[in-house]
Amino acid sequence: MPAKKFPTLRAQWLGEELRKHRMDANVTLADAGQYLQRDQGTISRIENGLVPARVADVMALLNFYGVDDPMVRANLEQISRDAWQKGWWDGYSKHAPAWMLDLAWMESRARHIRSFDPIVFHGMLQTEEFARALIAAGDPDVSSGQIDKWVDLRMERKRILAGNQPVRFSSVVDESVLRRRLGGTEVIRGQLRHLLNLADNSSVQIRVLPGDARVHPAPNGAFALLDLPEPYPHVGHIDTVSGNLWVEGEEADVIAKRYDRLESAALSPADSAAKIRQLLKELE
């Protein structure tokens, strides 16, 4: 499925902020369009995130709306520049949905990513072999060429965990995920070894939620949290059968509190590594 031309979330965030300032200034769509010498339909499409506004138009609208706060102006200018930014993920626009490219962009900008993984390992933790087995199992009718593209995209996303300024990544993994032999014994052996290697990375923290835990603080399923720098909000990402859900503000705060409870219920990183080594030994 081809992605939309523009990064949806960036354009939506920009549009929402511009709409808020227009309404605060008691300006109509027609007036804003006339000021920019555009039709009001163009302003409406910008505010609905269908197209991103160019930097010059954003600054002109802020002038028209009487927005003088230098921080607000700098933030919206940055979002507008980011809305037009191209990255390595754009090379996959013909092979991946728009939400997946948005996710790759947000991961590249994140300071800290946290995930709860009760079904499968988060994409950042997956080996190429595990990712290939997982994608093939999820959609047995997909072509091998399409699988190759999705696997390549997933492996590219993982590059943020390396380098001089790696993104912090924390995961609480349910013990059942470690025991599930998706792809066969050899694939899961390689996956468990990979987790142990990642555990040696100071920017990665893996905790196992043991199977005998008496309390399960997140019975509703998997989620991820992305802590983005200003001017962006903290974002919660939930992958569902019918689509992907993004939440911000208080809703994201609720998810963050749930993650904290999960982390408290899980084993320490050291004990989690010991559990992984134990399960790996059982597979030998």
Side-chain angles (χ1 to χ4, degrees):
M1 181 190 300
K4 293 181 181 179
K5 185 176 180 181
F6 296 105
T8 304
L9 280 178
R10 280 170 274 176
Q12 285 181 344
W13 282 329
L14 179 61
E16 287 170 3
E17 289 299 308
L18 289 174
R19 179 189 289 113
K20 181 185 73 174
H21 291 298
R22 178 178 63 79
M23 298 296 288
D24 288 346
N26 199 27
V27 172
T28 66
L29 285 169
D31 288 339
Q34 184 177 14
Y35 183 77
L36 285 186
Q37 298 183 328
R38 309 282 177 81
D39 60 77
Q40 70 178 55
T42 298
I43 306 301
S44 178
R45 288 192 292 275
I46 287 173
E47 291 186 353
N48 285 298
L50 300 178
V51 295
R54 295 186 182 277
V55 174
D57 289 340
V58 169
M59 305 316 290
L61 286 173
L62 293 180
N63 290 338
F64 187 44
Y65 301 156
V67 179
D68 299 322
D69 187 321
M71 183 62 73
V72 172
R73 294 175 66 88
N75 285 348
L76 291 185
E77 180 181 357
Q78 182 62 56
I79 296 175
S80 180
R81 292 187 187 282
D82 284 348
W84 290 89
Q85 176 194 17
K86 289 186 176 295
W88 61 262
W89 46 83
D90 289 295
Y92 293 90
S93 60
K94 294 181 179 180
H95 307 283
W99 69 263
M100 195 176 294
L101 305 187
D102 277 332
L103 178 60
W105 173 79
M106 283 195 292
E107 289 171 341
S108 74
R109 291 294 302 271
R111 295 174 298 191
H112 189 192
I113 301 171
R114 291 169 284 175
S115 74
F116 172 52
D117 308 314
I119 308 298
V120 296
F121 301 104
H122 189 280
M124 291 291 170
L125 302 179
Q126 294 174 14
T127 63
E128 181 175 340
E129 294 76 16
F130 184 92
R132 189 175 301 280
L134 176 62
I135 293 170
D139 190 350
D141 296 324
V142 72
S143 70
S144 59
Q146 181 62 72
I147 291 176
D148 289 342
K149 291 295 183 182
W150 286 343
V151 170
D152 288 346
L153 172 57
R154 192 162 300 182
M155 296 302 105
E156 285 277 356
R157 286 168 50 203
K158 292 169 53 176
R159 292 171 58 185
I160 63 172
L161 300 182
N164 295 328
Q165 293 183 312
V167 173
R168 289 176 57 208
F169 184 84
S170 304
S171 176
V172 174
V173 182
D174 195 275
E175 183 178 341
S176 63
V177 179
L178 303 173
R179 294 183 177 277
R180 187 170 295 116
R181 300 190 183 186
L182 194 152
T185 301
E186 285 304 314
V187 168
I188 198 62
R189 276 181 186 157
Q191 180 63 58
L192 294 182
R193 293 191 191 100
H194 181 61
L195 293 181
L196 291 174
N197 289 334
L198 284 175
D200 291 333
N201 184 333
S202 60
S203 66
V204 177
Q205 184 181 88
I206 300 171
R207 293 176 181 265
V208 175
L209 184 67
D212 59 0
R214 296 184 180 183
V215 178
H216 197 309
N220 298 323
F223 60 80
L225 285 159
L226 297 99
D227 296 334
L228 300 174
E230 293 289 345
Y232 297 101
H234 298 321
V235 179
H237 175 230
I238 303 168
D239 191 359
T240 74
V241 173
S242 58
N244 285 263
L245 177 64
W246 309 94
V247 297
E248 305 167 19
E250 292 182 358
E251 292 178 307
D253 291 341
V254 169
I255 295 177
K257 290 177 181 177
R258 180 164 292 184
Y259 183 85
D260 290 342
R261 294 196 296 271
L262 278 163
E263 199 171 66
S264 296
L267 301 175
S268 69
D271 288 342
S272 296
K275 170 65 75 173
I276 294 169
R277 282 192 291 270
Q278 172 196 331
L279 295 176
L280 183 57
K281 188 174 182 179
E282 290 175 9
L283 292 174
E284 294 176 350

